[in-house]
Amino acid sequence: MIRANAKVLALIVGVLFVPLSLVGCARNEDSGETRIFEIENTEEVFGKGDEVDVTVRKHYMILNPPEDLTELKELVEEYGKEHPIEGGIDVAEGKSRLFHMYFYRESDDLPRDWQPDEGYLSTDRLEHHKNDLIAAMRWSDVDPRKRYDIYDKSKDGKVVERLRFVEDQLVE
């Protein structure tokens, strides 16, 4: 009788524990490792036609960004080198290209699977998530020096500290 109860108890625990632990593992894919990926459906290209400049904006999410702003700048800089965006846009002769890479942190308002929503009664665009913008990198064909704005923000998006760099030079 005791053996039968032990087997039933083991079966019940196995049936409940295994699926619950697998669900927990699937939801907890955040290993604490810093990771950057492009936010899908957010690339913007402006200035086609008769305009002098063509602006390219790409948006990225950083999971588990470093707290140190200098480390964050180095991370963004390295990502830009490993994932260049200049090659994707060709312009007519005489036009210049302006490049912007924006990096956001994950939050309750901006989860890792966020997508823009252009609904009839409500919209949700990246410009509504400036509170989660933690780094920006800008340059152009005319001035290829990369400019960085790196932010430490509170949970509600207030800037606690901001560092600005031109290449590796910290500027005011």
Side-chain angles (χ1 to χ4, degrees):
M1 182 72 172
I2 294 176
R3 279 186 162 166
N5 287 340
K7 287 180 181 180
V8 170
L9 182 59
L11 182 62
I12 290 172
V13 168
V15 167
L16 293 176
F17 178 74
V18 171
L20 290 176
S21 64
L22 291 175
V23 168
C25 290
R27 287 188 182 166
N28 190 18
E29 63 186 51
D30 183 11
S31 65
E33 182 179 327
T34 299
R35 190 166 60 102
I36 302 176
F37 59 89
E38 186 172 355
I39 302 172
E40 293 180 25
N41 305 312
T42 61
E43 178 179 347
E44 303 167 291
V45 179
F46 302 100
K48 295 183 178 178
D50 61 348
E51 295 182 27
V52 176
D53 297 321
V54 174
T55 302
V56 178
R57 294 183 188 156
K58 289 201 165 208
H59 305 272
Y60 303 87
M61 172 137 338
I62 302 177
L63 301 179
N64 304 305
E67 292 183 18
D68 181 86
L69 295 184
T70 305
E71 287 180 31
L72 179 57
K73 185 260 183 191
E74 291 169 358
L75 177 71
V76 165
E77 181 178 29
E78 188 64 30
Y79 188 83
K81 287 177 184 175
E82 292 175 2
H83 301 87
I85 64 173
E86 294 94 344
I89 303 297
D90 293 324
V91 296
E93 189 174 327
K95 288 190 176 193
S96 62
R97 299 175 300 171
L98 308 171
F99 299 101
H100 302 263
M101 294 175 78
Y102 296 107
F103 297 85
Y104 300 83
R105 66 185 175 191
E106 182 179 30
S107 70
D108 291 339
D109 290 333
L110 189 64
R112 66 183 69 183
D113 60 350
W114 180 88
Q115 285 291 287
D117 180 14
E118 294 292 330
Y120 179 71
L121 295 175
S122 67
T123 59
D124 189 11
R125 299 184 191 124
L126 272 174
E127 58 259 28
H128 302 146
H129 297 281
K130 294 295 183 188
N131 288 346
D132 294 312
L133 178 69
I134 57 173
M137 181 169 51
R138 293 181 276 285
W139 70 99
S140 71
D141 289 334
V142 176
D143 184 3
R145 296 179 303 158
K146 299 215 174 35
R147 297 169 179 359
Y148 301 87
D149 289 302
I150 310 297
Y151 302 97
D152 177 20
K153 292 186 175 180
S154 65
K155 272 235 185 254
D156 61 348
K158 291 191 179 10
V159 176
V160 175
E161 183 181 7
R162 180 183 73 198
L163 296 181
R164 285 195 165 163
F165 294 87
V166 175
E167 294 293 330
D168 287 333
Q169 184 68 38
L170 182 64
V171 295
E172 285 297 317

